[in-house]
Amino acid sequence: MRIMSKNHFLLNAEKIAACCATSTKPLTIEVILQTESTNTDLMARVPTLGSPTLLVAETQTAGRGRAGRHWLSSPVPGSSLTFSLAWPFLEKPQALLGLPLAVGVGLAKALASMGVTVQLKWPNDVLREGKKLAGVLIETTSYLDRTWAIIGVGLNLLIPKELEQEIGQPVADAIWLAQMDRNEMLAVLITHLISCLQQFSRSGLSTFLPTWNSLHAYAGQQVCIVDQDKIIQQGIALGVNNLGCLLLQDRHGVVWPVMAGNVSLRLR
Ligand code: ATP
């Protein structure tokens, strides 16, 4: 059976702008019908971007995850949200290592304000009832005196069974959100996201840690760190530190900070 989206609200840049809080301005908003990857598009345009820019695609045909992994979106119109936000920072790239965690907090707050409770999986996933609801991919590049972060987000609203099979693991969707006008939903997400980026610039990751750790999906659980299908570390997931590392306690009680890099986290 094919799931049909009841969401007939086409994405519209003016409508998104009208629903965004004034604190998000100036923000250029662009909506396109289809592209391979909104992150790839914005990354290529950094030298010509004068101000923060939001690029939203109705359909993304070659969405990317970390380390060349793929982000697959439902082809059913209105059943997902895929967008990227290009944001200029004065900080050097290495100061942005913890940014995925701050972005996760921003998304979690936005979703909570729309009635969807989520947890965060280190370093960059948003889970609902233990399954992935949204993924984040942040890429950075330096241009003149700025570090541009391209923050890509894919959010499932309705997931057809066939797509879940293609992804190869159980994934979450949010039927309640799928009934909403996606322009309003996007405005809520962007308003929270930008507020988090501003907070990150002011005070770094440390002010996000209590919230991140309170939403930590695997807190106190046995986990392993996987690199290209090989387990490279295992232990109990304690939380994250102010560099964005996962704190992993081994069986001797020693706590190791794990850098995100390209590794993946799995429950044991
Ligand atoms: P994971 O632990 O799920 O492999 P990761 O954080 O290591 O995730 P990412 O690069 O962040 O990997 O995300 C890409 C992965 O997300 C894919 O390899 C796939 O497993 C999963 N995925 C792809 N599309 C979707 C989707 N629409 N919904 C949920 N999960 C997806």
Side-chain angles (χ1 to χ4, degrees), residues 66 69-70 72 121 124-125 132 156 169 264 266:
R66 293 178 305 136
R69 290 186 280 271
H70 301 289
L72 304 176
K121 178 187 165 214
N124 63 332
D125 290 338
K132 200 185 304 200
N156 302 324
Q169 60 188 17
S264 291
R266 298 270 181 275

Side-chain angles (χ1 to χ4, degrees), residues 3 15 25 45 79 88 95 103 107 120 135 141 211 248 259:
I3 300 177
K15 200 157 179 202
K25 316 240 161 29
R45 287 172 49 195
S79 60
V103 165
L107 293 176
L120 298 175
T141 183
T211 311
L248 201 61
M259 296 274 289

Side-chain angles (χ1 to χ4, degrees), residues 4-82:
M4 294 303 289
S5 168
K6 289 202 184 101
N7 193 327
H8 302 301
F9 305 103
L10 272 185
L11 291 165
N12 175 285
E14 283 76 37
K15 200 157 179 202
I16 298 166
C19 298
C20 278
T22 43
S23 54
T24 61
K25 316 240 161 29
L27 174 69
T28 302
I29 302 179
E30 300 172 13
V31 173
I32 49 177
L33 272 181
Q34 184 169 311
T35 189
E36 290 189 355
S37 152
T38 52
N39 256 46
T40 305
D41 292 352
L42 282 183
M43 196 57 134
R45 287 172 49 195
V46 161
T48 62
L49 296 178
S51 57
T53 302
L54 173 69
L55 178 64
V56 193
E58 283 283 359
T59 317
Q60 206 177 228
T61 56
R64 295 185 289 114
R66 293 178 305 136
R69 290 186 280 271
H70 301 289
W71 182 263
L72 304 176
S73 304
S74 165
V76 181
S79 60
S80 67
L81 264 188
T82 46

